[in-house]
């Protein structure tokens, strides 16, 4: 079962060669829709990283800049406001994708007051330690403050 990852077994993709991750194979749509964690790394390679996210109603990622990391987002469920460089705003919905070039200040906010926002993102190169799981935004912020991502 290489690359099929679940919330109860986030390390499942690592089994083919001991602890070496061999890739991700599976339904990214189902994985994203089933995810209830703020952030869960599904795959980390040398040049890219696949992460599923769930933002609660009204929640946002928080403005950030990745100096050397390009980032791709795809919305699977919900509606999000993307803000670039604190001025350019884009409303995105189910099925929409966006690429944020390295060095761009950006934020993603769930515009719903009742429903979670489900999305996945690809960082290139990787941005978080392999296997990172943050159940809540508060947990993610605490980890980042401690520089554990």
């Amino acid at each position: 079962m290489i690359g099929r990852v679940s919330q109860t077994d986030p390390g499942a993709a690592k089994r083919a060669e001991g602890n070496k991750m061999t890739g991700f194979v599976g339904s990214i749509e189902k994985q994203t829709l089933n995810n209830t964690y703020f952030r869960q790394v599904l795959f980390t390679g040398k040049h890219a990283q696949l992460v599923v996210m769930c933002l609660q109603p009204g929640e946002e990622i928080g403005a950030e800049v990745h100096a050397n990391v390009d980032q791709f987002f795809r919305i699977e469920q919900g509606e999000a406001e993307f803000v670039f460089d604190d001025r350019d705003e884009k409303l995105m919905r189910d099925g929409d994708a966006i690429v944020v070039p390295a060095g761009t200040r950006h934020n993603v906010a769930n515009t719903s007051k009742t429903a979670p926002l489900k999305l996945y993102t690809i960082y290139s190169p990787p941005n978080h330690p392999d296997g990172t799981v943050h159940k809540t935004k508060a947990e993610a912020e605490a980890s980042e403050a401690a520089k554990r991502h």
Side-chain angles (χ1 to χ4, degrees), residues 32-53:
T32 304
L33 293 174
N34 289 335
N35 176 55
T36 59
Y37 295 156
F38 178 76
R39 176 184 295 127
Q40 181 179 7
V41 173
L42 299 183
F43 169 79
T44 301
K46 184 175 181 181
H47 301 287
Q49 183 173 63
L50 176 61
V51 178
V52 291
M53 298 187 75

Side-chain angles (χ1 to χ4, degrees), residues 10 14 24 47 49 60-61 69-70 76 81 122 139 146:
K14 295 183 179 182
F24 176 84
H47 301 287
Q49 183 173 63
E60 62 182 52
I61 290 173
V69 177
D70 293 323
E76 287 294 341
E81 180 182 64
I122 299 172
E139 187 178 305

Side-chain angles (χ1 to χ4, degrees), residues 135-146:
K135 293 181 180 180
T136 65
K137 181 180 178 185
E139 187 178 305
E141 288 173 337
S143 181
E144 288 167 5

Side-chain angles (χ1 to χ4, degrees), residues 78-137:
E79 189 172 274
E81 180 182 64
F82 281 73
V83 180
F84 304 97
D85 294 324
D86 298 320
R87 65 183 183 286
D88 186 17
E89 299 177 7
K90 304 284 185 211
L91 193 59
M92 308 296 286
R93 294 179 177 83
D94 301 7
D96 289 342
I98 197 152
V99 176
V100 179
T104 303
R105 182 176 172 84
H106 61 282
N107 191 9
V108 181
N110 181 354
T111 59
S112 175
K113 295 181 182 186
T114 59
L117 172 66
K118 306 282 185 126
L119 62 90
Y120 66 89
T121 185
I122 299 172
Y123 295 95
S124 181
N127 191 60
H128 299 284
D130 187 28
T132 295
V133 175
H134 296 134
K135 293 181 180 180
T136 65
K137 181 180 178 185

